[in-house]
Amino acid sequence: MTTLYGYFRSSAAYRVRIALNLKNLAYDQAPINLVKGEQRDDAFLAHNPQGLVPMLMTDNGIRLTQSLAICEYLDERYPEPALLPGELEERARVRALAQVVACEIHPLDNLRVLKYLVNELGAEDDAKQTWYRHWIHQGFSALESMLSRESGSGDFCHGDAPTLADICLVPQVFNAERFECDLSAYPRIRRITENARALDAFRLAAPGEQPDAN
């Protein structure tokens, strides 16, 4: 059985849950509590030296890390439904949209960065919130413009079916809502997120639906 090592509020693990659900793949979950530091336990580091989630143990015993790499692995191994379009230029666009979130927003706003700001640099809670919201608005402003101006957008980030871009967007919107970011300036992002959340694959991947939710 495929096993996903993750944490219910990890947006990177959230992405992989969506991808697994879209592919209609059965999987077990092995929760790793990031708040308690379980990602730094020797037993987990032996599997993933980065000490990060998600990690996917495939049904043939292969360990995979990094959410985008895992999603593309799943897309290549299980081609239907496709997470990336068939045309070269369209695939590049979807990857670019996904990476606005996964490479530009998420690395600056993830848990270990926020904890470093507070614990090592002495940032107060208000400063942490200001940091978080700044990078959300920087990234979402660019993403909203891309989604609104480029012809490839539809009911989802690209066309009328979910792709890797939506897999990245929806977890980041969840986190932005959790940090009480004002998303009123991003109507396209909000509409796409609503469309995605109406699908079981996204709904069942949501943090509140996970066995380790608290």
Side-chain angles (χ1 to χ4, degrees), residues 2-109:
T2 296
T3 301
L4 176 64
Y5 292 75
Y7 178 60
F8 76 107
R9 275 204 300 253
S10 161
S11 57
Y14 192 169
R15 296 170 198 156
V16 176
R17 293 196 299 265
I18 296 169
L20 287 162
N21 292 348
L22 285 170
K23 298 292 184 180
N24 199 29
L25 298 172
Y27 61 98
D28 287 333
Q29 294 202 53
I32 302 294
N33 192 311
L34 303 184
V35 175
K36 293 181 179 179
E38 292 177 358
Q39 71 276 22
R40 295 187 295 274
D41 290 350
D42 289 343
F44 185 67
L45 289 173
H47 292 302
N48 182 5
Q50 281 191 289
L52 299 174
V53 297
M55 183 184 77
L56 190 73
M57 181 78 76
T58 69
D59 56 2
N60 53 6
I62 304 299
R63 299 186 189 101
L64 301 173
T65 60
Q66 292 294 332
S67 63
L68 294 189
I70 294 170
C71 289
E72 292 213 29
Y73 164 85
L74 293 171
D75 205 35
E76 292 179 19
R77 187 174 177 192
Y78 308 99
E80 298 296 334
L83 304 181
L84 290 166
E87 296 298 322
L88 177 65
E89 292 79 10
E90 294 181 352
R91 287 200 302 277
R93 177 177 187 261
V94 168
R95 287 187 174 111
L97 294 170
Q99 289 174 24
V100 170
V101 174
C103 301
E104 304 295 338
I105 302 173
H106 176 249
L108 292 163
D109 277 350

